Amino acid sequence: MTDVTPIRTAAESAILSRFPEAKASLPGTPAVATLREQAFGRFVETGLPHRRVEKWKYTDLRSIMREAAPLAGAPSAADLAAAKVLLAALPDFGAANVTVVNGRFAPSLSDLGALPAGVTASDLGEALGSGHKLVVERLGRAASADDSALALNAAFMAGGAIVAVAAGVAVDRPIALRFVSVGTAAATYPRALIEIGTGASVTLIETHVSADGIAHQANGVVEIFAGDETKVEHVRINAHGDATVDVSSLGVVLGGKAELNSFNFVTNPAAARHQVFFRFAGEHSTGNVSGASLLKGKRHADTTLFVDHAVENCASRETFAHVLDDQATGVFQGMILVRDVAQKTDGKMMSRAVLLSDDATMNNKPELEIYADDVACGHGATVGALDEDLLFYLRARGLPKAEAEALMLAAFVGEALESIANETVRETLEGLVEAWLKAR
Amino acid sequence: MLEIRNLHVQIEDKKILDGLTLTVNDGEVAAIMGPNGSGKSTLSYVIAGKPDYEVLDGEILLDGENILEMEADARAAAGVFLAFQYPLEIPGVATMTFLKAAMNAQRKARGEDELATADFMKRVRAGAEKLGIPQDMLKRGLNVGFSGGEKKRMEILQMALLEPRFCILDETDSGLDIDALKIVSEGVNALKSPDRAFLVITHYQRLLNYIVPDTVHVMAHGKIVKTGGKELALELEANGYADYKTLAA
Ligand SMILES: Nc1ncnc2c1ncn2[C@@H]1O[C@H](COP(=O)(O)OP(=O)(O)OP(=O)(O)O)[C@@H](O)[C@H]1O
Ligand SMILES: [Mg+2]
């Protein structure tokens, strides 16, 4: 490091000065406290990520977060009531709910008594303090990258949820992990630890919600440890309000002969950054990481992937669709790392964007880093307007412009949605896409 | 029905239609024949409202109303239909979804109620059966992976379902096998009516044995250079376009 003292932004200074007081009341064993200190040290070194940090090139948190919103406190009764209202507007997946409000486990808004057999859910905040086995063994293991957004979460996490699926259980109902930000504009650092036992299968719906017009700052981390022969469908719906800045990190460690799909859907927040750290830890597994961002106004959505083929014989598919209108910005950065041991890796990454306005921007940066010699990997990226000839064909049949475009865009996004195996979930997302297109 | 007066059209500074004048009356079947590149498809696109073209002069009147200022979808709702020379593939848009959207959009534009699903299904099934289109094709993406002939049949199915007043068939016969040519022609003939007119663009006299034209126009260098009865098609088949190429130049 150089000895130049970095110039702190107002937001950085506020975050730096609040930690000493905050840490005294944040939960955790001495080991967790040490982890917080280390993470905070990392933040002291780097500050908020900005455009000169390669991985954050297109999402400059320093300029997006001019002020640091105050830390959210534990939710009041009024907060919980407000959360209930926001949650009621979410699509109904017929799921068993596990809810986190302002970064804290909210049992009163969770279906703890009605979880499917083999599924347990508990308070991560409590677990941090009690030295829970999963915290000791897993916390930070799927998302331990030295990324400063992640570091901030580790320093300030107040709690969240632990979800465990017992080995061999085929969970018959989706589990919905719902993260809510309520009250005045605040910073939340929710966290979830999910462990899926050998041979189990489950559908996880992760939703994030806040009201429009309130400048919340959410920085959540979800870690999924899926054992051997598991089958996991994970769909994340970012339904944050239109003034919220949402930074999220998903860490996945996938065992052998397993299959995991993770889909991220964004339409509404002012700015969103979703980073995925996906590690293949066992052979003969398949990982699908995909998503769709439909953005209008001045919204910004960034997806940054790091897929780590650390073992042989795994396949990964990354399929992303962006629909960008007005002055919206989309970012896709995908890195597939194939380590020297990871022979027979099959990796395909595709990012496609449709620009509906001259002022919309898409930044694509797919990358492959391959150290094994017997692999089949490829990537591609396209950016363009809707095909004028196809539009004319539809309009010549009587479809007005907006309807013709909606039909083509639904088809375009539908291609990315195809990776969702659960039909009900896929259809619900198709409905959300349709609603977005109608409101355009 | 349709009256085109002194139409001048260019694309990217290239003049393609050069003072074209043409009248098609109610109930008439008019055929247009002409050498490759003479501007037949351009004419059909300009009538249907494709935006790429620059109309320098002239008018296109549908029932006395100039349609040149109308968007393609408004023209479709007014009764213009173009069966494309090269129908386009639209991946991800299921044929059924498309057909329903098109039919309902036109109904809506005309102030009519949407079709009930059962009624829609009945019409599509009946239409498809007549044209020998298997049901499972309707479940696929629009025209995606269809053979050349299948695409042409799909165009005629759309025409039958949309019940347009002015139908342009741009080389619908090319790519059709002998049986399909017959089936498609029967489909077209079934739609003939006193208040519907057809503009049939073709290179081959054979189609005109099935869809018998009232008039045959020869197009060369962006204008109609000769008009006659159905015997004109036979004459062209025998002698080619040599005479007309020089005539127009
Ligand atoms: N986008 C374009 N840019 C430049 N020239 C064009 C364009 N579209 C058509 N043309 C030209 O206009 C002329 C007329 O084309 P058009 O497709 O109308 O002919 P056609 O009579 O339908 O021919 P065919 O019998 O081969 O179908 C051709 O010379 C063609 O190359
Ligand atoms: Mg042509």
Side-chain angles (χ1 to χ4, degrees):
Chain A
M1 289 272 357
T2 60
D3 54 2
V4 176
T5 314
I7 298 164
R8 304 294 190 187
T9 65
E12 286 169 340
S13 304
I15 293 168
L16 286 168
S17 63
R18 75 171 54 141
F19 184 67
E21 192 193 323
K23 71 180 178 190
S25 61
L26 288 167
T29 55
V32 170
T34 306
L35 191 126
R36 287 188 195 283
E37 289 290 353
Q38 283 168 350
F40 190 70
R42 174 78 192 138
F43 177 74
V44 172
E45 245 174 63
T46 59
L48 285 171
H50 52 85
R51 66 195 152 78
R52 284 188 305 282
V53 177
E54 190 59 24
K55 293 269 167 275
W56 290 81
K57 186 170 173 192
Y58 303 104
T59 300
D60 190 331
L61 264 197
R62 261 192 195 162
S63 68
I64 291 171
M65 278 179 57
R66 293 214 174 276
E67 308 279 332
L71 274 180
S76 64
D79 288 337
L80 292 173
K84 201 169 174 178
V85 174
L86 285 173
L87 289 168
L90 290 176
D92 180 12
F93 291 96
N97 298 311
V98 176
T99 306
V100 173
V101 177
N102 287 357
R104 277 110 175 148
F105 192 58
S108 67
L109 296 173
S110 303
D111 300 325
L112 298 182
L115 291 171
V119 179
T120 53
S122 55
D123 183 348
L124 176 64
E126 234 172 71
L128 290 172
S130 67
H132 191 287
K133 184 170 177 283
L134 270 181
V135 170
V136 174
E137 288 173 3
R138 302 293 206 188
L139 188 77
R141 303 297 204 283
S144 62
D146 60 345
D147 172 89
S148 50
L150 255 165
L152 263 187
N153 176 287
F156 285 100
M157 62 189 168
I162 291 179
V163 174
V165 179
V169 177
V171 183
D172 55 0
R173 229 174 126 195
I175 307 297
L177 252 175
R178 311 183 301 176
F179 296 90
V180 194
S181 294
V182 280
T184 51
T188 55
Y189 297 94
R191 186 125 188 163
L193 259 183
I194 299 167
E195 189 179 55
I196 297 151
T198 307
S201 64
V202 66
T203 295
L204 299 165
I205 318 270
E206 180 190 334
T207 45
H208 295 258
V209 60
S210 55
D212 278 344
I214 303 173
H216 289 294
Q217 293 171 348
N219 178 343
V221 175
V222 172
E223 293 182 275
I224 301 178
F225 300 86
D228 292 344
E229 293 168 37
T230 50
K231 247 185 133 141
V232 183
E233 179 108 78
H234 170 248
V235 173
R236 179 179 189 274
I237 299 174
N238 188 336
H240 268 302
D242 61 7
T244 292
V245 173
D246 180 56
V247 176
S248 57
S249 306
L250 169 68
V252 175
V253 178
L254 186 61
K257 296 186 182 135
E259 211 181 304
L260 188 142
N261 287 342
S262 177
F263 191 93
N264 185 45
F265 184 72
V266 192
T267 53
N268 199 43
R273 153 87 169 199
H274 183 56
Q275 35 188 21
V276 180
F277 304 89
F278 194 116
R279 188 161 84 243
F280 286 97
E283 291 182 36
H284 300 287
S285 290
T286 304
N288 243 308
V289 186
S290 44
S293 301
L294 285 67
L295 309 173
K296 56 190 165 190
K298 291 187 158 76
R299 288 176 177 83
H300 175 108
D302 172 330
T303 308
T304 295
L305 309 182
F306 180 69
V307 178
D308 184 355
H309 281 274
V311 295
E312 290 187 302
N313 288 311
C314 289
S316 69
R317 292 285 174 276
E318 295 80 21
T319 313
F320 284 81
H322 288 80
V323 177
L324 305 170
D325 205 348
D326 305 326
Q327 290 116 277
T329 306
V331 179
F332 173 78
Q333 300 186 108
M335 159 66 84
I336 302 183
L337 169 66
V338 182
R339 295 183 192 263
D340 53 4
V341 293
Q343 300 295 357
K344 310 271 183 221
T345 290
D346 172 0
K348 273 185 195 62
M349 176 159 58
M350 186 69 194
S351 165
R352 298 174 65 205
V354 171
L355 305 183
L356 296 172
S357 136
D358 290 341
D359 300 322
T361 311
M362 180 69 204
N363 300 297
N364 265 319
K365 198 170 155 230
E367 284 176 285
L368 296 171
E369 215 175 292
I370 302 175
Y371 298 100
D373 47 27
D374 183 14
V375 301
C377 290
H379 67 70
T382 63
V383 182
L386 284 176
D387 186 314
E388 289 293 335
D389 288 335
L390 295 186
L391 275 177
F392 169 64
Y393 187 63
L394 294 175
R395 297 190 69 187
R397 296 298 177 253
L399 292 171
K401 184 163 183 261
E403 226 178 292
E405 288 181 347
L407 208 55
M408 286 182 64
L409 290 169
F412 171 77
V413 179
E415 212 177 302
L417 291 174
E418 262 170 39
S419 63
I420 301 174
N422 183 316
E423 207 167 314
T424 327
V425 176
R426 189 174 62 240
E427 279 168 10
T428 305
L429 283 177
E430 282 166 0
L432 294 179
V433 171
E434 210 171 291
W436 186 88
L437 291 170
K438 242 186 203 135
R440 232 187 100 213
Chain B
M1 167 82 59
L2 188 87
E3 211 183 330
I4 301 177
R5 294 183 188 150
N6 188 33
L7 190 63
H8 292 261
V9 170
Q10 72 175 20
I11 185 161
E12 289 157 18
D13 295 330
K14 188 180 171 198
K15 189 92 182 259
I16 297 174
L17 299 185
D18 190 14
L20 182 136
T21 294
L22 173 73
T23 302
V24 183
N25 294 312
D26 289 5
E28 183 178 333
V29 176
I32 292 191
M33 302 181 83
N36 294 131
S38 56
K40 304 180 299 296
S41 292
T42 302
L43 173 64
S44 62
Y45 282 144
V46 173
I47 298 172
K50 195 167 193 225
D52 315 348
Y53 300 95
E54 193 183 344
V55 177
L56 302 169
D57 198 7
E59 292 179 308
I60 302 180
L61 307 175
L62 182 72
D63 298 323
E65 198 190 338
N66 193 349
I67 59 170
L68 278 175
E69 294 304 314
M70 288 161 68
E71 300 277 353
D73 47 290
R75 297 188 202 192
V80 174
F81 181 90
L82 166 62
F84 283 58
Q85 180 173 0
Y86 304 108
L88 301 169
E89 299 193 5
I90 310 197
V93 176
T95 304
M96 279 301 216
T97 311
F98 160 76
L99 290 175
K100 196 168 183 195
M103 288 171 80
N104 280 332
Q106 294 204 12
R107 294 175 75 90
K108 198 172 157 195
R110 292 192 294 255
E112 296 164 18
D113 283 344
E114 284 199 358
L115 276 175
T117 303
D119 188 10
F120 164 75
M121 296 297 286
K122 213 171 87 188
R123 291 181 194 216
V124 174
R125 283 215 187 92
E129 199 177 325
K130 270 192 209 144
L131 290 163
I133 297 171
Q135 294 297 320
D136 66 318
M137 241 170 81
L138 299 169
K139 290 184 195 131
R140 283 153 64 182
L142 181 59
N143 291 330
V144 177
F146 289 16
S147 75
E150 287 169 345
K151 286 179 185 168
K152 295 301 179 74
R153 289 186 210 204
M154 188 56 70
E155 294 290 287
I156 301 306
L157 173 62
Q158 291 171 36
M159 185 170 92
L161 293 173
L162 293 169
E163 301 174 336
R165 298 196 55 231
F166 187 73
C167 312
I168 309 165
L169 306 180
D170 190 358
E171 293 196 29
T172 298
D173 52 337
S174 56
L176 289 182
D177 65 40
I178 300 160
D179 296 334
L181 183 67
K182 236 170 136 175
I183 293 167
V184 164
S185 302
E186 276 162 17
V188 172
N189 287 330
L191 291 172
K192 273 200 206 168
S193 95
D195 57 2
R196 182 173 284 139
F198 293 87
L199 189 62
V200 180
I201 297 170
T202 183
H203 285 297
Y204 305 105
Q205 139 69 20
R206 200 178 57 207
L207 174 72
L208 304 179
N209 288 336
Y210 294 107
I211 305 174
V212 181
D214 300 301
T215 45
V216 174
H217 303 275
V218 181
M219 185 163 172
H221 299 289
K223 57 181 144 222
I224 303 296
V225 294
K226 174 146 188 178
T227 296
K230 61 177 186 250
E231 66 290 345
L232 180 54
L234 291 164
E235 191 189 311
L236 290 170
E237 182 101 339
N239 302 334
Y241 294 114
D243 298 349
Y244 303 105
K245 280 184 177 162
T246 48
L247 204 101

Short mmCIF file of all heavy atoms in Angstrom, two decimals, chain A residues 27 74-75 98-101 103-108 110 112 115 120-132 134-135 157-164 177 191-193:
data_model
loop_
_atom_site.label_atom_id
_atom_site.label_comp_id
_atom_site.label_asym_id
_atom_site.label_seq_id
_atom_site.Cartn_x
_atom_site.Cartn_y
_atom_site.Cartn_z
N PRO A 27 -24.54 -8.35 17.74
CA PRO A 27 -24.41 -9.67 18.37
C PRO A 27 -23.15 -10.41 17.91
O PRO A 27 -22.67 -10.17 16.81
CB PRO A 27 -25.67 -10.39 17.89
CG PRO A 27 -26.02 -9.74 16.59
CD PRO A 27 -25.60 -8.31 16.72
N ALA A 74 -33.50 -2.14 15.60
CA ALA A 74 -34.40 -3.29 15.63
C ALA A 74 -35.81 -2.79 15.30
O ALA A 74 -36.19 -1.70 15.71
CB ALA A 74 -34.38 -3.93 17.01
N PRO A 75 -36.57 -3.55 14.52
CA PRO A 75 -37.89 -3.08 14.08
C PRO A 75 -38.87 -2.91 15.24
O PRO A 75 -38.95 -3.76 16.12
CB PRO A 75 -38.36 -4.16 13.12
CG PRO A 75 -37.53 -5.37 13.43
CD PRO A 75 -36.23 -4.86 13.96
N VAL A 98 -40.04 -17.13 5.72
CA VAL A 98 -39.05 -16.80 6.74
C VAL A 98 -38.70 -15.34 6.48
O VAL A 98 -38.25 -15.00 5.39
CB VAL A 98 -37.80 -17.69 6.62
CG1 VAL A 98 -36.75 -17.28 7.63
CG2 VAL A 98 -38.17 -19.16 6.79
N THR A 99 -38.96 -14.49 7.49
CA THR A 99 -38.89 -13.06 7.21
C THR A 99 -37.84 -12.35 8.06
O THR A 99 -37.66 -12.66 9.24
CB THR A 99 -40.28 -12.43 7.43
OG1 THR A 99 -41.22 -13.16 6.66
CG2 THR A 99 -40.31 -10.97 7.02
N VAL A 100 -37.16 -11.42 7.41
CA VAL A 100 -36.14 -10.61 8.07
C VAL A 100 -36.51 -9.15 7.86
O VAL A 100 -36.70 -8.72 6.72
CB VAL A 100 -34.75 -10.92 7.47
CG1 VAL A 100 -33.68 -9.98 8.03
CG2 VAL A 100 -34.37 -12.38 7.70
N VAL A 101 -36.68 -8.40 8.95
CA VAL A 101 -37.05 -6.98 8.82
C VAL A 101 -35.91 -6.11 9.34
O VAL A 101 -35.41 -6.32 10.45
CB VAL A 101 -38.36 -6.69 9.59
CG1 VAL A 101 -38.71 -5.20 9.52
CG2 VAL A 101 -39.51 -7.53 9.03
N GLY A 103 -32.93 -6.15 8.72
CA GLY A 103 -31.74 -6.93 9.03
C GLY A 103 -31.86 -7.85 10.21
O GLY A 103 -30.88 -8.47 10.62
N ARG A 104 -33.09 -7.93 10.79
CA ARG A 104 -33.28 -8.82 11.94
C ARG A 104 -34.39 -9.83 11.67
O ARG A 104 -35.40 -9.50 11.06
CB ARG A 104 -33.65 -8.03 13.20
CG ARG A 104 -32.48 -7.45 13.94
CD ARG A 104 -32.50 -5.97 13.79
NE ARG A 104 -31.46 -5.30 14.57
CZ ARG A 104 -30.89 -4.16 14.16
NH1 ARG A 104 -31.21 -3.64 12.98
NH2 ARG A 104 -29.99 -3.58 14.91
N PHE A 105 -34.17 -11.01 12.19
CA PHE A 105 -35.14 -12.08 12.08
C PHE A 105 -36.48 -11.61 12.64
O PHE A 105 -36.54 -10.99 13.70
CB PHE A 105 -34.61 -13.26 12.91
CG PHE A 105 -35.34 -14.55 12.69
CD1 PHE A 105 -35.42 -15.11 11.42
CD2 PHE A 105 -35.90 -15.23 13.76
CE1 PHE A 105 -36.06 -16.32 11.23
CE2 PHE A 105 -36.55 -16.45 13.57
CZ PHE A 105 -36.63 -16.99 12.30
N ALA A 106 -37.56 -11.90 11.90
CA ALA A 106 -38.89 -11.46 12.35
C ALA A 106 -39.81 -12.66 12.46
O ALA A 106 -40.56 -12.99 11.53
CB ALA A 106 -39.46 -10.44 11.37
N PRO A 107 -39.77 -13.35 13.62
CA PRO A 107 -40.56 -14.58 13.77
C PRO A 107 -42.06 -14.34 13.59
O PRO A 107 -42.77 -15.20 13.07
CB PRO A 107 -40.23 -15.07 15.18
CG PRO A 107 -39.53 -13.94 15.86
CD PRO A 107 -38.95 -13.07 14.80
N SER A 108 -42.54 -13.13 13.96
CA SER A 108 -43.99 -12.91 13.89
C SER A 108 -44.46 -12.82 12.44
O SER A 108 -45.65 -12.97 12.16
CB SER A 108 -44.36 -11.62 14.63
OG SER A 108 -43.82 -10.50 13.95
N SER A 110 -43.08 -14.82 10.13
CA SER A 110 -42.58 -16.06 9.54
C SER A 110 -43.51 -17.21 9.88
O SER A 110 -44.26 -17.13 10.85
CB SER A 110 -41.18 -16.37 10.08
OG SER A 110 -40.30 -15.29 9.83
N LEU A 112 -42.96 -20.13 11.15
CA LEU A 112 -42.06 -21.08 11.79
C LEU A 112 -42.77 -22.35 12.23
O LEU A 112 -42.20 -23.43 12.22
CB LEU A 112 -41.37 -20.42 12.99
CG LEU A 112 -40.49 -19.22 12.62
CD1 LEU A 112 -39.81 -18.65 13.85
CD2 LEU A 112 -39.46 -19.62 11.58
N LEU A 115 -43.44 -24.85 8.87
CA LEU A 115 -42.41 -25.15 7.88
C LEU A 115 -42.56 -26.60 7.42
O LEU A 115 -42.96 -27.46 8.20
CB LEU A 115 -41.02 -24.94 8.49
CG LEU A 115 -40.64 -23.49 8.79
CD1 LEU A 115 -39.34 -23.44 9.59
CD2 LEU A 115 -40.49 -22.70 7.49
N THR A 120 -35.76 -26.33 8.92
CA THR A 120 -35.76 -25.52 10.14
C THR A 120 -35.29 -24.12 9.79
O THR A 120 -34.50 -23.92 8.87
CB THR A 120 -34.81 -26.10 11.21
OG1 THR A 120 -33.52 -26.26 10.62
CG2 THR A 120 -35.30 -27.43 11.74
N ALA A 121 -35.83 -23.15 10.53
CA ALA A 121 -35.40 -21.77 10.33
C ALA A 121 -35.19 -21.15 11.69
O ALA A 121 -35.93 -21.43 12.63
CB ALA A 121 -36.46 -20.99 9.56
N SER A 122 -34.16 -20.33 11.82
CA SER A 122 -33.90 -19.72 13.12
C SER A 122 -33.22 -18.37 12.95
O SER A 122 -32.86 -17.96 11.85
CB SER A 122 -33.06 -20.66 13.99
OG SER A 122 -31.87 -21.00 13.30
N ASP A 123 -33.07 -17.71 14.08
CA ASP A 123 -32.55 -16.34 14.13
C ASP A 123 -31.02 -16.35 14.03
O ASP A 123 -30.34 -16.88 14.91
CB ASP A 123 -33.01 -15.74 15.46
CG ASP A 123 -32.59 -14.28 15.61
OD1 ASP A 123 -31.76 -13.81 14.80
OD2 ASP A 123 -33.10 -13.64 16.53
N LEU A 124 -30.50 -15.76 12.96
CA LEU A 124 -29.05 -15.72 12.79
C LEU A 124 -28.40 -14.80 13.83
O LEU A 124 -27.29 -15.07 14.30
CB LEU A 124 -28.69 -15.26 11.37
CG LEU A 124 -27.20 -15.07 11.08
CD1 LEU A 124 -26.45 -16.41 11.17
CD2 LEU A 124 -26.98 -14.46 9.71
N GLY A 125 -29.13 -13.73 14.22
CA GLY A 125 -28.58 -12.82 15.22
C GLY A 125 -28.26 -13.55 16.51
O GLY A 125 -27.18 -13.39 17.09
N GLU A 126 -29.20 -14.38 16.92
CA GLU A 126 -29.00 -15.18 18.13
C GLU A 126 -27.85 -16.15 17.93
O GLU A 126 -27.00 -16.33 18.81
CB GLU A 126 -30.28 -15.99 18.37
CG GLU A 126 -30.90 -15.83 19.74
CD GLU A 126 -32.25 -16.53 19.76
OE1 GLU A 126 -32.26 -17.78 19.73
OE2 GLU A 126 -33.26 -15.80 19.75
N ALA A 127 -27.83 -16.76 16.75
CA ALA A 127 -26.82 -17.78 16.46
C ALA A 127 -25.41 -17.18 16.47
O ALA A 127 -24.44 -17.84 16.83
CB ALA A 127 -27.11 -18.43 15.11
N LEU A 128 -25.31 -15.91 16.07
CA LEU A 128 -23.99 -15.25 16.08
C LEU A 128 -23.46 -15.17 17.51
O LEU A 128 -22.26 -15.31 17.76
CB LEU A 128 -24.09 -13.83 15.50
CG LEU A 128 -24.35 -13.69 13.99
CD1 LEU A 128 -24.62 -12.24 13.63
CD2 LEU A 128 -23.18 -14.24 13.18
N GLY A 129 -24.41 -14.97 18.44
CA GLY A 129 -24.02 -14.81 19.83
C GLY A 129 -23.82 -16.12 20.56
O GLY A 129 -23.11 -16.18 21.57
N SER A 130 -24.45 -17.17 20.06
CA SER A 130 -24.40 -18.43 20.81
C SER A 130 -23.35 -19.40 20.27
O SER A 130 -23.21 -20.50 20.77
CB SER A 130 -25.78 -19.10 20.76
OG SER A 130 -26.05 -19.51 19.44
N GLY A 131 -22.65 -18.99 19.25
CA GLY A 131 -21.65 -19.90 18.70
C GLY A 131 -22.28 -21.10 18.02
O GLY A 131 -21.78 -22.22 18.07
N HIS A 132 -23.40 -20.87 17.36
CA HIS A 132 -24.12 -21.90 16.61
C HIS A 132 -23.15 -22.62 15.67
O HIS A 132 -22.28 -22.00 15.05
CB HIS A 132 -25.22 -21.21 15.81
CG HIS A 132 -26.22 -22.14 15.18
ND1 HIS A 132 -25.93 -22.92 14.11
CD2 HIS A 132 -27.53 -22.37 15.48
CE1 HIS A 132 -27.01 -23.60 13.76
NE2 HIS A 132 -28.00 -23.29 14.59
N LEU A 134 -23.46 -23.87 12.73
CA LEU A 134 -23.41 -23.40 11.34
C LEU A 134 -22.63 -22.11 11.20
O LEU A 134 -21.92 -21.90 10.22
CB LEU A 134 -24.84 -23.19 10.81
CG LEU A 134 -25.49 -24.38 10.13
CD1 LEU A 134 -26.88 -24.02 9.63
CD2 LEU A 134 -24.62 -24.87 8.97
N VAL A 135 -22.77 -21.25 12.22
CA VAL A 135 -22.02 -19.99 12.18
C VAL A 135 -20.53 -20.28 12.25
O VAL A 135 -19.73 -19.75 11.48
CB VAL A 135 -22.46 -19.06 13.34
CG1 VAL A 135 -21.52 -17.86 13.45
CG2 VAL A 135 -23.90 -18.60 13.14
N MET A 157 -23.40 -6.66 10.20
CA MET A 157 -24.59 -7.53 10.20
C MET A 157 -25.19 -7.61 11.60
O MET A 157 -24.48 -7.82 12.58
CB MET A 157 -24.24 -8.93 9.68
CG MET A 157 -23.21 -9.65 10.53
SD MET A 157 -22.66 -11.17 9.74
CE MET A 157 -21.23 -11.55 10.79
N ALA A 158 -26.51 -7.40 11.66
CA ALA A 158 -27.18 -7.43 12.96
C ALA A 158 -27.88 -8.76 13.15
O ALA A 158 -28.25 -9.12 14.26
CB ALA A 158 -28.19 -6.29 13.05
N GLY A 159 -28.09 -9.45 12.07
CA GLY A 159 -28.78 -10.74 12.17
C GLY A 159 -29.31 -11.17 10.84
O GLY A 159 -28.76 -10.83 9.81
N GLY A 160 -30.42 -11.91 10.88
CA GLY A 160 -30.97 -12.47 9.67
C GLY A 160 -31.49 -13.86 9.96
O GLY A 160 -32.02 -14.10 11.05
N ALA A 161 -31.34 -14.75 9.01
CA ALA A 161 -31.95 -16.06 9.18
C ALA A 161 -30.98 -17.19 8.86
O ALA A 161 -30.08 -17.05 8.05
CB ALA A 161 -33.17 -16.18 8.28
N ILE A 162 -31.23 -18.29 9.55
CA ILE A 162 -30.57 -19.55 9.20
C ILE A 162 -31.66 -20.49 8.71
O ILE A 162 -32.71 -20.62 9.35
CB ILE A 162 -29.87 -20.19 10.43
CG1 ILE A 162 -28.67 -19.34 10.85
CG2 ILE A 162 -29.44 -21.61 10.11
CD1 ILE A 162 -27.94 -19.90 12.07
N VAL A 163 -31.45 -21.09 7.57
CA VAL A 163 -32.41 -22.08 7.08
C VAL A 163 -31.63 -23.35 6.81
O VAL A 163 -30.58 -23.32 6.15
CB VAL A 163 -33.11 -21.61 5.79
CG1 VAL A 163 -34.00 -22.72 5.22
CG2 VAL A 163 -33.93 -20.35 6.04
N ALA A 164 -32.13 -24.45 7.36
CA ALA A 164 -31.46 -25.72 7.13
C ALA A 164 -32.45 -26.74 6.60
O ALA A 164 -33.58 -26.84 7.09
CB ALA A 164 -30.82 -26.21 8.41
N LEU A 177 -37.68 -16.62 1.58
CA LEU A 177 -36.87 -15.80 2.48
C LEU A 177 -37.16 -14.36 2.10
O LEU A 177 -36.82 -13.92 1.01
CB LEU A 177 -35.40 -16.08 2.20
CG LEU A 177 -34.61 -16.87 3.21
CD1 LEU A 177 -33.23 -17.14 2.66
CD2 LEU A 177 -34.53 -16.17 4.56
N ARG A 191 -28.45 -10.83 6.58
CA ARG A 191 -27.59 -11.95 6.24
C ARG A 191 -28.39 -13.25 6.36
O ARG A 191 -29.27 -13.35 7.21
CB ARG A 191 -26.42 -11.98 7.22
CG ARG A 191 -25.37 -12.99 6.91
CD ARG A 191 -24.02 -12.32 6.80
NE ARG A 191 -23.03 -13.26 6.32
CZ ARG A 191 -21.86 -12.90 5.83
NH1 ARG A 191 -21.53 -11.63 5.74
NH2 ARG A 191 -21.01 -13.81 5.40
N ALA A 192 -28.08 -14.20 5.52
CA ALA A 192 -28.72 -15.51 5.66
C ALA A 192 -27.71 -16.61 5.40
O ALA A 192 -26.84 -16.48 4.54
CB ALA A 192 -29.90 -15.64 4.71
N LEU A 193 -27.86 -17.65 6.17
CA LEU A 193 -27.03 -18.85 6.01
C LEU A 193 -27.97 -20.00 5.68
O LEU A 193 -28.92 -20.25 6.43
CB LEU A 193 -26.36 -19.17 7.34
CG LEU A 193 -24.91 -18.79 7.59
CD1 LEU A 193 -24.48 -19.29 8.96
CD2 LEU A 193 -24.01 -19.35 6.50
#
